[in-house]
Amino acid sequence: MSHSAPAPPEWSPPDVEELNQLLPQYEIDAIIGRGGMGAVYKGRQVTLDRTVAIKLLPNTLADGDDEMNFVERFKLEARSMAGLNHPAIIAVFDFGQTSENHLYFVMEFIDGMDIDKYIEICGGKVLAEHTVAIVSHVLDALEYAHSRGIMHRDIKPANILINREGKVKIADFGLAKNTSPEESAAIRGLTQTNVTLGTPDYIAPECLDSTATPDARADLYSVGVMLYQLLTGKIPRGIFLLPSAVDPALDARYDSIITRAMAGDPNQRYGTAGEFRAQ
């Protein structure tokens, strides 16, 4: 996730022992990811005896040092994911706040890796048939989310997980946007003027235009970028070669699919994730 505002102050997440004291209903095993915007732990939900991932927000933000509205975005992420029930979207089980003021939510644990790592272990690019399977699952999940008024807004390989059985899951709805009128009014203030949300290489052009109102087709642009990257091992920047020019062994039909998905004008893109998936 990138933005032009200052990062939050340096934060040290609780260690495993500390979090076990803060969340006694869970047995915390390890910290599996951390950053300025929070930390993710692996643990076990004791009552149901299931392995879970716990995402924790810095308590410095919940205490009021939150210029970028990360607390509301965190709550939105939990609500967005909890309201979606799809096999290719990570499920959320619980949400709350610790006695030390950390907001947290609990979600299913994925025993696997993100697609960034998968690209790496595949040698820089992914076989076309595997690429089609991955992207098809992503588009199925987006078709479901979009039909319920939820845009993801940060589709990229790092936010797509694959488990040891090859099942694909979309994660990180921290920038999600509910496009229903009542929800849009409630969250309109979360985006500051002149602050771009998303990851630069994957973000649709209209998301950089302060006069535009991006819709679900911005997610499809991001999928187009990811499709190109998986097939070619390169990220399309500026005037880029079509996939078949990068690798003549690739089916030339990918050229037109990616060209349409990544059209600068949203009206020239696929209208829905389902239409993109069918191609």
Side-chain angles (χ1 to χ4, degrees):
M1 182 173 70
S2 63
H3 50 75
S4 58
E10 188 67 28
W11 175 68
S12 295
D15 61 25
V16 168
E17 184 177 336
E18 288 174 314
L19 194 58
N20 270 313
Q21 293 175 354
L22 292 171
L23 296 175
Q25 66 272 43
Y26 296 95
E27 290 179 355
I28 312 302
D29 297 327
I31 185 166
I32 56 177
R34 72 180 76 193
M37 275 319 305
V40 180
Y41 300 78
K42 179 184 177 183
R44 185 175 73 90
Q45 188 175 11
V46 177
T47 54
L48 295 176
D49 191 26
R50 64 179 170 190
T51 303
V52 295
I54 300 171
K55 187 169 184 178
L56 197 73
L57 191 72
N59 54 358
T60 54
L61 296 175
D63 286 339
D65 189 3
D66 189 17
E67 179 186 351
M68 289 290 292
N69 293 308
F70 287 116
V71 167
E72 289 306 314
R73 287 185 195 153
F74 190 84
K75 292 177 180 178
L76 175 63
E77 178 178 8
R79 288 198 301 268
S80 297
M81 293 177 72
L84 299 174
N85 180 17
H86 189 277
I89 296 174
I90 287 182
V92 167
F93 304 136
D94 192 15
F95 177 82
Q97 191 162 9
T98 73
S99 58
E100 296 292 331
N101 223 17
H102 306 87
L103 288 170
Y104 69 91
F105 67 82
V106 181
M107 53 192 165
E108 66 176 306
F109 175 77
I110 305 301
D111 184 14
M113 67 188 75
D114 65 38
I115 297 300
D116 257 346
K117 181 66 176 178
Y118 185 68
I119 293 171
E120 181 184 327
I121 68 170
C122 287
K125 61 181 179 180
V126 178
L127 290 173
E129 56 265 36
H130 295 171
T131 292
V132 169
I134 291 167
V135 172
S136 294
H137 284 302
V138 170
L139 288 168
D140 284 343
L142 287 176
E143 177 77 355
Y144 171 86
H146 292 167
S147 72
R148 284 152 181 78
I150 301 291
M151 288 170 57
H152 187 282
R153 297 205 296 177
D154 199 19
I155 293 293
K156 59 183 178 181
N159 285 338
I160 312 299
L161 306 180
I162 185 168
N163 71 9
R164 294 184 184 277
E165 288 76 48
K167 293 180 180 177
V168 174
K169 300 269 188 177
I170 298 182
D172 200 345
F173 277 72
L175 298 183
K177 179 181 179 183
N178 192 316
T179 56
S180 66
E182 61 276 11
E183 285 291 327
S184 293
I187 66 172
R188 195 170 291 129
L190 297 188
T191 304
Q192 291 187 350
T193 304
N194 298 324
V195 175
T196 299
L197 300 179
T199 303
D201 281 326
Y202 301 89
I203 196 167
E206 65 270 21
C207 297
L208 303 172
D209 181 354
S210 61
T211 66
T213 303
D215 58 26
R217 293 170 297 180
D219 281 346
L220 305 187
Y221 179 97
S222 302
V223 176
V225 176
M226 190 172 73
L227 174 59
Y228 184 99
Q229 181 183 1
L230 288 164
L231 289 170
T232 68
K234 302 178 185 298
I235 295 175
R237 296 182 176 122
I239 300 174
F240 56 88
L241 294 174
L242 292 173
S244 65
V246 177
D247 181 358
L250 286 171
D251 191 321
R253 288 176 292 181
Y254 290 120
D255 296 352
S256 59
I257 291 171
I258 287 170
T259 298
R260 185 170 178 190
M262 291 185 60
D265 180 355
N267 293 320
Q268 300 301 315
R269 292 179 207 146
Y270 295 105
T272 67
E275 184 185 0
F276 188 167
R277 197 238 194 265
Q279 290 298 306

